[in-house]
Amino acid sequence: MATRQLIRSVVLQSLYEWDFQHKKVDLAAVLERNLNEFALGVDEPDFAWKLAKGVIEHIDSIDSIIVKTAPEWPLDQISIIDRNVLRLGLFELLYADKNEVPSKVAINEAIELAKNYGGINSGRFINGVLGTVYKEMEKTENKSDLVSPEKVEKNK
Protein backbone atom coordinates (compact mmCIF):
# COMPACT_ATOMS: atom_id res chain seq x y z
CA MET A 1 0.00 0.00 0.00
CA ALA A 2 1.36 3.39 -0.98
CA THR A 3 2.24 5.81 1.79
CA ARG A 4 -0.62 8.24 1.16
CA GLN A 5 -3.16 5.44 0.85
CA LEU A 6 -1.98 4.08 4.17
CA ILE A 7 -2.16 7.53 5.74
CA ARG A 8 -5.71 8.05 4.43
CA SER A 9 -6.69 4.70 5.92
CA VAL A 10 -5.25 5.64 9.30
CA VAL A 11 -6.94 9.05 9.23
CA LEU A 12 -10.23 7.37 8.28
CA GLN A 13 -9.89 4.92 11.16
CA SER A 14 -9.19 7.81 13.51
CA LEU A 15 -12.17 9.83 12.25
CA TYR A 16 -14.34 6.73 12.60
CA GLU A 17 -13.34 6.25 16.23
CA TRP A 18 -13.81 9.96 16.97
CA ASP A 19 -17.25 10.00 15.33
CA PHE A 20 -18.28 6.68 16.93
CA GLN A 21 -17.43 8.13 20.34
CA HIS A 22 -19.72 11.11 19.53
CA LYS A 23 -16.68 13.39 19.18
CA LYS A 24 -15.90 13.04 22.89
CA VAL A 25 -12.38 11.70 22.39
CA ASP A 26 -9.34 13.73 21.44
CA LEU A 27 -8.89 13.17 17.71
CA ALA A 28 -5.23 14.17 17.89
CA ALA A 29 -4.54 11.51 20.52
CA VAL A 30 -6.44 8.89 18.51
CA LEU A 31 -4.56 9.79 15.33
CA GLU A 32 -1.21 9.75 17.12
CA ARG A 33 -1.93 6.30 18.54
CA ASN A 34 -3.11 4.96 15.18
CA LEU A 35 -0.11 6.37 13.32
CA ASN A 36 2.20 4.71 15.83
CA GLU A 37 0.33 1.42 15.63
CA PHE A 38 -0.49 1.15 11.93
CA ALA A 39 1.85 3.52 10.09
CA LEU A 40 5.03 3.76 12.12
CA GLY A 41 7.78 5.28 10.02
CA VAL A 42 5.65 6.51 7.12
CA ASP A 43 7.36 9.00 4.86
CA GLU A 44 4.80 11.80 5.22
CA PRO A 45 3.25 11.84 8.70
CA ASP A 46 2.45 15.54 8.25
CA PHE A 47 0.00 14.56 5.51
CA ALA A 48 -2.07 12.70 8.12
CA TRP A 49 -2.20 15.72 10.38
CA LYS A 50 -3.10 18.00 7.47
CA LEU A 51 -6.02 15.74 6.50
CA ALA A 52 -7.39 15.31 10.01
CA LYS A 53 -7.04 18.99 10.89
CA GLY A 54 -8.59 20.02 7.59
CA VAL A 55 -11.63 17.80 8.02
CA ILE A 56 -12.24 19.13 11.53
CA GLU A 57 -11.73 22.77 10.54
CA HIS A 58 -14.23 22.47 7.69
CA ILE A 59 -16.61 19.89 9.13
CA ASP A 60 -19.67 22.16 9.22
CA SER A 61 -19.31 23.12 5.56
CA ILE A 62 -18.46 19.57 4.56
CA ASP A 63 -21.44 18.14 6.43
CA SER A 64 -23.79 20.69 4.89
CA ILE A 65 -22.56 19.66 1.44
CA ILE A 66 -23.21 16.01 2.27
CA VAL A 67 -26.74 16.89 3.39
CA LYS A 68 -27.34 18.90 0.21
CA THR A 69 -25.83 16.32 -2.12
CA ALA A 70 -27.41 13.22 -0.54
CA PRO A 71 -30.82 14.52 0.55
CA GLU A 72 -32.33 11.02 0.76
CA TRP A 73 -29.84 10.19 3.49
CA PRO A 74 -29.91 12.26 6.68
CA LEU A 75 -26.35 12.70 7.92
CA ASP A 76 -26.93 10.63 11.05
CA GLN A 77 -28.34 7.77 8.95
CA ILE A 78 -25.26 7.49 6.74
CA SER A 79 -23.00 4.78 8.12
CA ILE A 80 -20.14 6.14 10.20
CA ILE A 81 -17.56 4.82 7.77
CA ASP A 82 -19.29 6.29 4.70
CA ARG A 83 -19.85 9.62 6.45
CA ASN A 84 -16.17 9.91 7.29
CA VAL A 85 -15.00 8.73 3.86
CA LEU A 86 -17.16 11.53 2.45
CA ARG A 87 -15.71 14.04 4.90
CA LEU A 88 -12.18 13.04 3.99
CA GLY A 89 -12.91 12.97 0.26
CA LEU A 90 -14.73 16.30 0.30
CA PHE A 91 -11.93 17.93 2.26
CA GLU A 92 -9.40 16.80 -0.34
CA LEU A 93 -11.71 17.69 -3.22
CA LEU A 94 -12.62 21.17 -1.99
CA TYR A 95 -9.79 22.38 0.21
CA ALA A 96 -6.59 20.48 -0.57
CA ASP A 97 -3.88 21.88 -2.81
CA LYS A 98 -4.77 20.70 -6.34
CA ASN A 99 -1.06 20.40 -7.16
CA GLU A 100 -0.70 17.98 -4.28
CA VAL A 101 -4.00 16.10 -4.66
CA PRO A 102 -5.81 16.55 -7.98
CA SER A 103 -9.60 16.35 -7.81
CA LYS A 104 -9.86 13.02 -9.62
CA VAL A 105 -7.24 11.50 -7.32
CA ALA A 106 -9.20 12.69 -4.26
CA ILE A 107 -12.37 11.09 -5.63
CA ASN A 108 -10.64 7.85 -6.58
CA GLU A 109 -8.93 7.55 -3.20
CA ALA A 110 -12.23 8.08 -1.37
CA ILE A 111 -13.93 5.44 -3.52
CA GLU A 112 -11.15 2.96 -2.74
CA LEU A 113 -11.49 3.66 0.99
CA ALA A 114 -15.23 3.08 0.72
CA LYS A 115 -14.72 -0.20 -1.14
CA ASN A 116 -12.16 -1.39 1.41
CA TYR A 117 -13.94 -0.35 4.60
CA GLY A 118 -17.57 0.30 3.76
CA GLY A 119 -20.53 -1.80 2.77
CA ILE A 120 -21.36 -3.40 -0.53
CA ASN A 121 -22.78 -0.17 -2.03
CA SER A 122 -20.41 2.27 -0.35
CA GLY A 123 -18.18 2.78 -3.38
CA ARG A 124 -21.12 3.74 -5.58
CA PHE A 125 -22.59 6.01 -2.90
CA ILE A 126 -19.28 7.83 -2.37
CA ASN A 127 -18.75 8.10 -6.12
CA GLY A 128 -22.23 9.58 -6.58
CA VAL A 129 -21.83 12.22 -3.90
CA LEU A 130 -18.29 13.23 -4.82
CA GLY A 131 -19.09 13.12 -8.53
CA THR A 132 -22.02 15.47 -8.00
CA VAL A 133 -19.83 17.90 -6.07
CA TYR A 134 -17.11 17.68 -8.71
CA LYS A 135 -19.58 18.47 -11.49
CA GLU A 136 -20.86 21.43 -9.50
CA MET A 137 -17.27 22.62 -9.02
CA GLU A 138 -16.72 22.46 -12.76
CA LYS A 139 -19.80 24.65 -13.30
CA THR A 140 -18.63 27.30 -10.87
CA GLU A 141 -15.41 29.10 -11.47
CA ASN A 142 -14.78 29.63 -7.79
CA LYS A 143 -15.11 26.60 -5.51
CA SER A 144 -15.78 28.92 -2.55
CA ASP A 145 -19.17 29.65 -4.15
CA LEU A 146 -20.08 26.02 -3.51
CA VAL A 147 -19.28 26.21 0.19
CA SER A 148 -19.92 29.85 0.94
CA PRO A 149 -21.47 30.61 4.34
CA GLU A 150 -24.56 31.95 2.57
CA LYS A 151 -25.12 28.64 0.79
CA VAL A 152 -24.47 26.70 3.98
CA GLU A 153 -27.11 28.77 5.80
CA LYS A 154 -29.63 28.34 2.97
CA ASN A 155 -29.25 24.57 3.20
CA LYS A 156 -29.94 24.32 6.93
Side-chain angles (χ1 to χ4, degrees):
M1 182 181 285
T3 299
R4 288 199 168 191
Q5 286 177 321
L6 176 60
I7 289 172
R8 285 183 184 95
S9 293
V10 171
V11 171
L12 176 61
Q13 292 169 15
S14 301
L15 288 169
Y16 179 94
E17 182 176 339
W18 172 76
D19 198 3
F20 184 79
Q21 300 281 343
H22 305 287
K23 303 171 184 161
K24 294 180 182 174
V25 294
D26 180 15
L27 180 59
V30 171
L31 181 57
E32 182 74 32
R33 182 191 71 227
N34 288 341
L35 284 170
N36 288 329
E37 186 170 341
F38 302 113
L40 192 60
V42 292
D43 295 340
E44 302 179 83
D46 291 345
F47 184 65
W49 294 104
K50 187 186 302 185
L51 290 176
K53 182 180 179 198
V55 168
I56 298 308
E57 285 179 355
H58 299 285
I59 197 162
D60 291 336
S61 294
I62 290 170
D63 284 354
S64 72
I65 291 168
I66 295 169
V67 168
K68 175 185 173 190
T69 313
E72 306 82 30
W73 291 96
L75 193 61
D76 63 346
Q77 290 183 10
I78 297 173
S79 74
I80 296 173
I81 201 73
D82 289 354
R83 183 169 56 232
N84 285 290
V85 168
L86 283 171
R87 286 171 173 161
L88 192 54
L90 283 168
F91 168 72
E92 287 198 280
L93 184 61
L94 296 170
Y95 300 102
D97 179 356
K98 296 299 176 223
N99 295 320
E100 188 176 9
V101 181
S103 296
K104 291 185 179 182
V105 171
I107 293 170
N108 188 57
E109 290 294 326
I111 292 168
E112 289 303 312
L113 284 172
K115 287 179 181 178
N116 288 331
Y117 297 103
I120 197 163
N121 294 316
S122 293
R124 284 192 303 228
F125 177 64
I126 300 303
N127 185 39
V129 172
L130 295 181
T132 299
V133 172
Y134 180 72
K135 288 175 188 169
E136 186 67 27
M137 286 171 59
E138 286 183 321
K139 289 179 190 175
T140 61
E141 291 184 10
N142 185 351
K143 72 178 179 196
S144 63
D145 290 344
L146 182 65
V147 294
S148 69
E150 296 80 26
K151 286 197 175 190
V152 169
E153 285 303 314
K154 285 181 186 176
N155 293 321
K156 286 187 178 179

